[in-house]
Amino acid sequence: MDRIDLLKTFVVVVNEGSFTNAASKLDMSNQLVSKYINQLEKHLDARLFNRTTRKIHLTEAGYQCLQHANHILESVNDMEGQLGLLNSQVKGTLRISAPVSFSTLHLSDCIGQFQTQYPDVSINLQLNDRKVDVVEEGLDVALRAGVLSNSSLIAKKVTTIKLAVCASPQYLKKYGTPKHPRELRPAHYLEYAHVNYDNDKSELIQALRTNAQKHAPRLTANNGEVLADVAKHGEGYVLQPTFIVSKALQSGELVSILENYVPQSISLYAVYPHRKLVSSKLKVFIDFLCEFFDDTPHWDR
């Protein structure tokens, strides 16, 4: 039997003055009330009541137990009330990790609108393209793009991320437009450092992997925006998510190539530690993210 429940039963017996009245108050049998008190006395190795046929009286140990029990139960009630308030009210600080380019290009608007709707929520946003340890670094949630590995973390899909192979018009005019991945020039690849396509068997990825073994990429960087800007100047081709290159594609600064060979779309996930112990602030933030970006995000419409 839970010790808190034993203490609650003990306090009710004291307040009601008898086992019978306590049983009625607690909606249980006299025998069960007596059993709980016996269990508590056995656990404490002390007699709590002197019993007569008509009345019960607290022993000295019983008086001491009552003082401690009232204090313990009051603390438990305070804790439950405070935690319940935290979980029912949308307030507090959210610690978030998110990819750099996605955040600078698209997340700021989302966060601004979220905080307008929920002004009592503070955001601590950490931008990093590395895979952070959500639990170890004390984060509430991390946004991750790609195929997730198996873990104890919970993942909620936020939106779909399409990929595109791009080059500038001047680059294509100078070197021609490739019709097949094997026609790509290995030395002209502008490579994103953090990408991992080990499980991707598409012809394009196989070609990029084979080319990398033959010739080092012209540029490797851990920021996709920098790579896309270099590609705009005719210095090579990139494989980047459309949330980075969509504006350049719409303006004609970049041209999409090899569309039939582009790897399948990936997803952006909100990753967090617990399924059951989700605070209201985190729940409404994840729901807001999913609604804001939708499965087809605005940059692909």
Side-chain angles (χ1 to χ4, degrees), residues 30-213:
N30 286 6
Q31 291 83 357
L32 189 56
V33 171
S34 181
K35 177 182 178 182
Y36 288 173
I37 298 301
N38 288 336
Q39 287 182 358
L40 183 59
E41 289 179 327
K42 183 177 180 181
H43 176 73
L44 297 175
D45 193 23
R47 178 175 288 278
L48 301 176
F49 294 104
N50 287 320
R51 301 166 176 85
T52 66
T53 55
R54 292 188 174 184
K55 293 183 111 179
I56 58 170
H57 301 277
L58 283 171
T59 63
E60 183 179 352
Y63 278 112
Q64 292 183 13
C65 181
L66 180 62
Q67 294 176 6
H68 288 296
N70 283 330
H71 178 71
I72 291 169
L73 295 177
E74 183 179 349
S75 297
V76 170
N77 288 335
D78 287 344
M79 179 190 69
E80 291 174 344
Q82 290 176 13
L83 293 180
L85 192 63
L86 284 175
N87 285 332
S88 63
Q89 292 184 346
V90 184
K91 62 186 302 184
T93 300
L94 270 177
R95 289 166 290 275
I96 305 167
S97 173
V100 177
S101 293
F102 179 82
S103 300
T104 57
L105 293 172
H106 303 289
L107 192 57
S108 55
D109 286 343
C110 177
I111 287 179
Q113 292 186 35
F114 174 79
Q115 290 193 294
T116 298
Q117 185 169 338
Y118 299 100
D120 293 329
V121 178
S122 300
I123 301 291
N124 183 334
L125 179 63
Q126 302 173 25
L127 304 187
N128 205 314
D129 286 334
R130 68 179 175 85
K131 183 180 178 181
V132 299
D133 188 319
V134 177
V135 176
E136 183 70 23
E137 300 188 28
L139 298 167
D140 292 295
V141 63
L143 302 185
R144 292 180 182 168
V147 179
L148 300 182
S149 58
N150 292 329
S151 75
S152 60
L153 300 175
I154 309 303
K156 167 82 171 180
K157 181 181 176 182
V158 174
T159 190
T160 298
I161 296 178
K162 293 183 178 180
L163 302 172
V165 186
C166 312
S168 69
Q170 56 266 42
Y171 175 88
L172 298 177
K173 182 178 181 180
K174 183 175 181 179
Y175 295 103
T177 301
K179 305 298 182 184
H180 192 277
R182 60 173 171 265
E183 297 176 14
L184 292 169
R185 296 173 180 260
H188 295 179
Y189 181 38
L190 308 174
E191 182 183 49
Y192 178 60
H194 287 307
V195 74
N196 184 352
Y197 290 116
D198 289 344
N199 296 322
D200 195 306
K201 305 301 181 182
S202 66
E203 289 186 80
L204 175 64
I205 298 303
Q206 294 299 324
L208 293 177
R209 191 176 290 117
T210 300
N211 289 346
Q213 295 172 354

Side-chain angles (χ1 to χ4, degrees), residues 229-248:
D229 284 340
V230 172
K232 291 177 191 176
H233 290 87
E235 296 302 317
Y237 57 89
V238 292
L239 171 61
Q240 284 294 306
T242 54
F243 67 72
I244 290 180
V245 298
S246 59
K247 286 187 176 180

Side-chain angles (χ1 to χ4, degrees), residues 285-300:
F285 179 70
I286 294 175
D287 290 343
F288 193 92
L289 280 175
C290 296
E291 184 176 353
F292 184 89
F293 290 109
D294 198 15
D295 192 54
T296 303
H298 62 84
W299 57 82
D300 284 334

